[in-house]
Amino acid sequence: MSRVWDVPVDDSTRVRDVRVAAEEASACAGLPPNRTATAALVATELATNLLRHAGGGRVLINLVERAHDDDHRPAVQLVSVDHGPGIPDVAAAMRDGYTTTVATSLGAGLGTCRRIANDFDLHSAPGRGTVVMARIGHEPAVRNQGPPPPGPRAGGVNVPLGRAEQSGDAWGRVRGGDRLTLLLADGLGHGAKAAEASTAAVAELRGVSELPPPEILRRLGRALRPTRGAAVAVAQLDMGAGELSFAGIGNVGARLRTGGTWKALLSRPGIVGAQAPASVPVQRVPWQADSLLVLHSDGLPSRWTPPDDGVLPGCDPAVAAAVVLRDAGSAARPTRDDTCVAVLTAGGVSRHGSGA
């Protein structure tokens, strides 16, 4: 979905901006009043924590489908990102009501955010900063719901150029049986017309996900002809065979981490829906218990360094995507285009996570 919110948090007035953005996202997602209030509370707490503990940061809000959920209604995904000192004692910070600054605390804390969100996870590293993710769905969270079901998980974050209302990038996933298909599309240019193309690609995926990646790209080519076209990457995991198949057209990136080593997966030049090559080779690589796949649009710097972090495969994929986005850039080097990062993990469970 192309509607996105990217809210900088650099002073106390921005806390209200984050809360209002969460309420707007909840309205777009059709959340009921009680879940809208939950999203607003979580948004306020995340923004307040950015100011109090990290000296500022940003909150990214996307509308996404929850993994392992038959309810395809969109949830509100809130991700706070900072380059601060990190959390010295994560276990203490996760306790309900924990705060180091009682006078300015909301009395909620990350522990309460984890409890009231449908999905929650965080990643914190000393000297590098913290990423916190919470997803708010239509139904109240189930207490003590335990870790997500085993198996691969996919997620992502989407950031518009110049904090516009729409992003020309989009990602989507479809799971059926032992097969999970992940797609990332970068509409040509940016703005509403680019968003139309990338959204059309994601919508078409649901009807063609059982096909191999090159055939998916061919079918997408027909679906995107009325649009300006898009660069598209398709990754398909066969869980039974333990194999990942990849094919891409256009300026989209893909890197696979297995056994601590990163490998680039290459796309062919062209534009899906306009100037696609006659044939697209498929790359097949083994998928292992520690594998992590990153798909990204060209808004990410071309020479970004993959993270050397063995914890990321166990994080929620949206958290891993936000860590990649954060560490690939900086405040001094703003994104030069819409930027989307989608991640596929083997399904390890973060010790800080909840939900699916």
Side-chain angles (χ1 to χ4, degrees), residues 125-138:
R128 288 174 50 205
T130 300
V131 169
V132 183
M133 184 283 305
R135 277 187 291 268
I136 314 300
H138 286 250

Side-chain angles (χ1 to χ4, degrees), residues 36-218:
T36 297
T38 297
L41 173 60
V42 171
T44 303
E45 183 65 27
L46 295 183
T48 303
N49 282 343
L50 285 175
L51 291 173
R52 183 187 305 140
H53 301 298
R58 68 202 293 193
V59 175
L60 308 175
I61 305 177
N62 295 159
L63 304 182
V64 301
E65 288 186 7
R66 296 183 60 224
H68 304 296
D69 194 337
D70 292 332
D71 184 355
H72 297 300
R73 293 175 296 179
V76 175
Q77 176 176 282
L78 303 104
V79 180
S80 69
V81 181
D82 69 64
H83 290 270
I87 300 175
D89 189 341
V90 173
M94 294 304 300
R95 292 199 297 266
D96 277 1
Y98 171 83
T99 177
T100 59
T101 316
V102 176
T104 58
S105 173
L106 296 173
L110 294 177
T112 295
C113 291
R114 177 174 63 173
R115 178 166 48 80
I116 64 179
N118 296 90
D119 309 310
F120 181 93
D121 199 10
L122 69 81
H123 176 279
S124 191
R128 288 174 50 205
T130 300
V131 169
V132 183
M133 184 283 305
R135 277 187 291 268
I136 314 300
H138 286 250
E139 303 299 330
V142 178
R143 293 195 184 191
N144 302 317
Q145 58 188 332
R153 297 184 291 167
V157 293
N158 196 354
V159 183
L161 175 65
R163 301 192 174 94
E165 289 191 355
Q166 288 184 310
S167 171
D169 299 348
W171 68 273
R173 60 165 175 254
V174 175
R175 182 168 183 168
D178 286 339
R179 181 176 298 173
L180 191 155
T181 305
L182 177 65
L183 175 149
L184 187 142
D186 180 353
L188 193 62
H190 53 85
K193 291 296 185 180
E196 178 186 9
S198 60
T199 301
V202 172
E204 184 71 12
L205 176 65
R206 190 166 297 280
V208 299
S209 62
E210 76 284 355
L211 301 173
E215 183 60 27
I216 290 175
L217 290 171
R218 281 191 284 271

